[in-house]
Amino acid sequence: MDNTLKSIINNQIDYFNSRKTLNINFRIQLLKSLKKEIELNEKEIENALNKDLGKSNGESYLTEIWFVYSEIKIALKNIKKWVKRKPIRSSLLNFPSSDFIVPEPYGNTLHISPWNYPFQLSIAPLVGAIAAGNTVLLKPSEYSINTSIILEKILAKVFDDGFVKVVQGGPEVASKLLEFKWNYIFFTGSITVGKIVAQQAAKHLTPVTLELGGKNPCVIDETASIKVTAKRIVWGKFTNCGQTCIAPDFLIVNRKIKEKLIKEIINQLSLAYSNKPIESIEYGRIISEKHMNYLSSLLEDQKILYGGHFDIEKKYFEPTIIEINNFDSKLMKEEIFGPILPIVEYDNFNEVDEIIKRYTHPLAMYIFTKNIAFGKKFLESYPFGGGAINDTVVHIANDRLPFGGIGSSGMGKYHGKSTFETFSHYKPYISRPLWIDPPLRYPPFKNKINFMKKILKII
Ligand code: NAD
């Protein structure tokens, strides 16, 4: 076992055992300091995100920095309510008794985060973990290295290493960290690595949250308003250059409106990113050459309707639209996670149903329709993480909606109160007086069995 990691983790174990994190005012004070430190480093965070992913400052603020401020604000506003011991109605069987549920921290938690929203996806879970009184060891992604460095700097300034510590590195470091016995593991990333994390966690029976990905379908029926539909699809798909876990992966469009919709998507692309996205400061970049190679391999043998140009060295990948006629290609089998938008047409909803059922439970699903009642019925008839009628991605913006996958798109949930709940064990206990002790439950039962049955049937 790695001795440096061992001593970092032992330090966190001692820190948790010192019970310092149980002090609510201490947690509040640190969350406030975290917010302040982020504010002081806003420019550096934006620069790092720009270097890593070519994000514009506007996009970085909206999708990463604001999101984190919002999570901190919610935690600070509610933490005193969340941590309260709650009285629960008791069972008559235990009469008299007072019953309670109290949230307690799991203890030492390991967080492994990805590169696509490297700031938001590292800090948002951490906020809830701290609010709930856990220590955090964060391993950010080796790909978004500029953001990983600024994350380390901010967190080291605010927290003792025993409370929060960043450990840099790639899969080798993550594998070593997973050997330890954690009290909770929070992982965001791919399905493949999610399975490894789950296997490692199982060795110690450690509970996990897995925030994974998948292929998110987006259905557009013939009643949808073309302009606003195209605008919202373009925004959800091409923000962060398509590297968003809940971006629509592919469209399933009614044949009657397909041509019109494609035309309007192209129009909206030029309004958002100009006719030369490579020159637009609003259009991001792909994280690495490895990911560029993967994306370019998806174009092989495809019918490109729009775009299709890329420059591996510049990590630039043009917004691209593909017409799909079969599902056998890699493009239609694997999560795209980039600015390629496949379009499949349908005539009737049986075809839509068949297409959706080809895939495992996605992280998100969307439908555009004027018939809201039908939209609800549609979304409620498939299992998926979260979704929207007549929009894409935006369900993530409401902290009162739990965020997470189902089946292969993940397990567990977070955001707002859900993050606090994720990092808390809700411990029930009861309190009974000693001055009274009804004899019903004690053997011998011989003479009281009928009475006991009567009572048990009533309560
Ligand atoms: P990834 O699984 O390759 O890496 C995620 C993290 O795991 C990184 O920190 C990485 O260093 C670490 N890792 C890599 N190999 C590992 C191993 N063998 N053992 C332990 N840790 C290992 O994912 P990624 O490429 O960074 O992110 C893209 C994926 O993440 C996509 O599938 C996307 O859908 C998903 N994602 C999901 C969410 C969500 O909230 N559900 C959010 C963002 C991204």
Side-chain angles (χ1 to χ4, degrees):
M1 240 179 231
D2 187 300
N3 282 334
T4 316
L5 292 181
K6 210 170 173 181
S7 86
I8 291 171
I9 293 165
N10 282 339
N11 187 27
Q12 294 210 321
I13 293 172
D14 291 345
Y15 197 90
F16 185 75
N17 288 342
S18 76
R19 301 176 157 264
K20 276 188 208 149
T21 71
L22 299 190
N23 182 328
I24 311 303
N25 289 328
F26 184 48
R27 296 182 205 170
I28 291 174
Q29 180 207 320
L30 284 171
L31 287 174
K32 283 182 180 165
S33 308
L34 175 61
K35 179 166 176 271
K36 215 165 161 192
E37 200 54 33
I38 295 172
E39 281 165 351
L40 287 174
N41 286 281
E42 243 176 45
K43 260 276 78 44
E44 278 195 59
I45 299 165
E46 284 171 357
N47 289 343
L49 290 166
N50 185 267
K51 278 190 198 155
D52 287 332
L53 287 146
K55 293 194 195 207
S56 69
N57 291 351
E59 188 180 314
S60 289
Y61 194 84
L62 181 68
T63 64
E64 305 241 26
I65 300 170
W66 168 81
F67 197 94
V68 161
Y69 286 149
S70 164
E71 287 290 301
I72 297 176
K73 192 166 131 197
I74 293 152
L76 285 172
K77 189 171 159 210
N78 296 294
I79 187 168
K80 290 209 164 143
K81 201 163 62 193
W82 292 344
V83 297
K84 261 195 191 147
R85 178 199 318 120
K86 292 194 178 49
I88 302 293
R89 193 157 63 92
S90 359
S91 162
L92 269 181
L93 261 190
N94 293 332
F95 182 81
S97 89
S98 311
D99 297 14
F100 306 96
I101 291 179
V102 61
E104 66 176 6
Y106 276 99
N108 303 111
T109 68
L110 170 66
H111 299 213
I112 300 178
S113 58
W115 50 261
N116 62 330
Y117 290 87
F119 188 73
Q120 188 224 118
L121 296 174
S122 298
I123 301 284
L126 178 142
V127 169
I130 297 302
N134 301 273
T135 69
V136 174
L137 193 147
L138 167 67
K139 197 217 73 65
S141 174
E142 67 281 18
Y143 283 106
S144 44
I145 189 64
N146 295 291
T147 312
S148 296
I149 289 169
I150 185 82
L151 275 168
E152 183 170 3
K153 185 183 139 194
I154 290 172
L155 294 172
K157 188 84 191 288
V158 177
F159 296 95
D160 265 353
D161 285 356
F163 203 165
V164 174
K165 172 81 180 156
V166 172
V167 171
Q168 305 283 4
E172 344 65 59
V173 173
S175 305
K176 283 183 192 156
L177 287 169
L178 285 169
E179 286 171 21
F180 290 91
K181 180 173 165 49
W182 297 94
N183 300 117
Y184 203 97
I185 298 174
F186 192 100
F187 172 80
T188 307
S190 60
I191 295 175
T192 312
V193 179
K195 286 179 184 169
I196 298 173
V197 171
Q199 276 172 355
Q200 290 297 99
K203 288 184 185 160
H204 300 290
L205 288 181
T206 298
V208 287
T209 292
L210 300 177
E211 295 285 342
L212 311 177
K215 273 186 105 55
N216 308 319
C218 176
V219 178
I220 301 99
D221 82 5
E222 72 276 22
T223 68
S225 315
I226 300 292
K227 194 167 183 161
V228 67
T229 298
K231 202 175 192 170
R232 292 177 182 180
I233 288 171
V234 165
W235 179 78
K237 177 72 185 187
F238 296 96
T239 291
N240 200 22
C241 226
Q243 299 163 114
T244 302
C245 57
I246 49 173
D249 187 283
F250 63 99
L251 307 185
I252 311 172
V253 188
N254 187 289
R255 193 167 51 86
K256 291 181 203 147
I257 56 153
K258 191 179 108 185
E259 292 311 319
K260 264 201 261 171
L261 183 71
I262 292 173
K263 220 166 136 196
E264 189 55 35
I265 287 177
I266 294 168
N267 178 41
Q268 291 299 331
L269 277 168
S270 71
L271 291 176
Y273 307 115
S274 81
N275 288 328
K276 286 190 177 163
I278 194 162
E279 290 171 11
S280 164
I281 56 157
E282 305 295 343
Y283 191 65
R285 293 294 177 270
I286 302 304
I287 187 70
S288 75
E289 289 194 7
K290 179 182 141 190
H291 295 81
M292 281 294 302
N293 286 327
Y294 167 73
L295 288 172
S296 56
S297 76
L298 298 182
L299 298 187
E300 274 162 31
D301 303 325
Q302 294 296 345
K303 185 172 170 195
I304 298 173
L305 296 181
Y306 178 80
H309 302 103
F310 53 85
D311 183 330
I312 295 195
E313 238 171 70
K314 290 188 176 141
K315 291 185 270 173
Y316 168 74
F317 206 107
E318 194 177 18
T320 297
I321 302 174
I322 309 271
E323 186 170 84
I324 294 298
N325 295 313
N326 73 69
F327 291 85
D328 299 331
S329 60
K330 190 156 104 181
L331 180 70
M332 291 314 287
K333 282 193 173 142
E334 290 174 24
E335 181 184 13
I336 297 171
F337 218 57
I340 305 173
L341 184 61
I343 299 188
V344 188
E345 66 172 35
Y346 76 89
D347 278 313
N348 63 62
F349 257 86
N350 288 340
E351 294 167 58
V352 175
D353 187 57
E354 264 176 39
I355 295 168
I356 289 174
K357 285 181 176 157
R358 284 174 169 270
Y359 298 97
T360 55
H361 303 348
L363 184 60
M365 198 183 286
Y366 306 107
I367 181 162
F368 285 82
T369 175
K370 281 208 180 100
N371 186 344
I372 299 292
F374 173 71
K376 286 181 183 165
K377 199 171 151 213
F378 177 80
L379 288 191
E380 287 173 19
S381 58
Y382 296 100
F384 58 91
I389 300 168
N390 293 331
D391 215 329
T392 63
V393 174
V394 291
H395 56 292
I396 197 173
N398 183 355
D399 65 275
R400 287 171 292 275
L401 296 177
F403 183 86
I406 174 172
S408 58
S409 57
M411 58 177 83
K413 56 188 165 42
Y414 76 126
H415 288 175
K417 191 181 182 201
S418 296
T419 319
F420 178 88
E421 289 171 347
T422 284
F423 287 105
S424 300
H425 164 58
Y426 280 79
K427 183 163 71 181
Y429 68 90
I430 74 170
S431 168
R432 307 200 64 214
L434 290 166
W435 56 267
I436 177 172
D437 196 20
L440 196 64
R441 68 172 161 165
Y442 298 111
F445 293 110
K446 212 168 51 191
N447 299 326
K448 53 190 177 189
I449 185 122
N450 288 336
F451 178 65
M452 189 179 78
K453 279 184 179 172
K454 257 186 210 156
I455 293 281
L456 288 175
K457 273 178 191 159
I458 297 168
I459 59 175

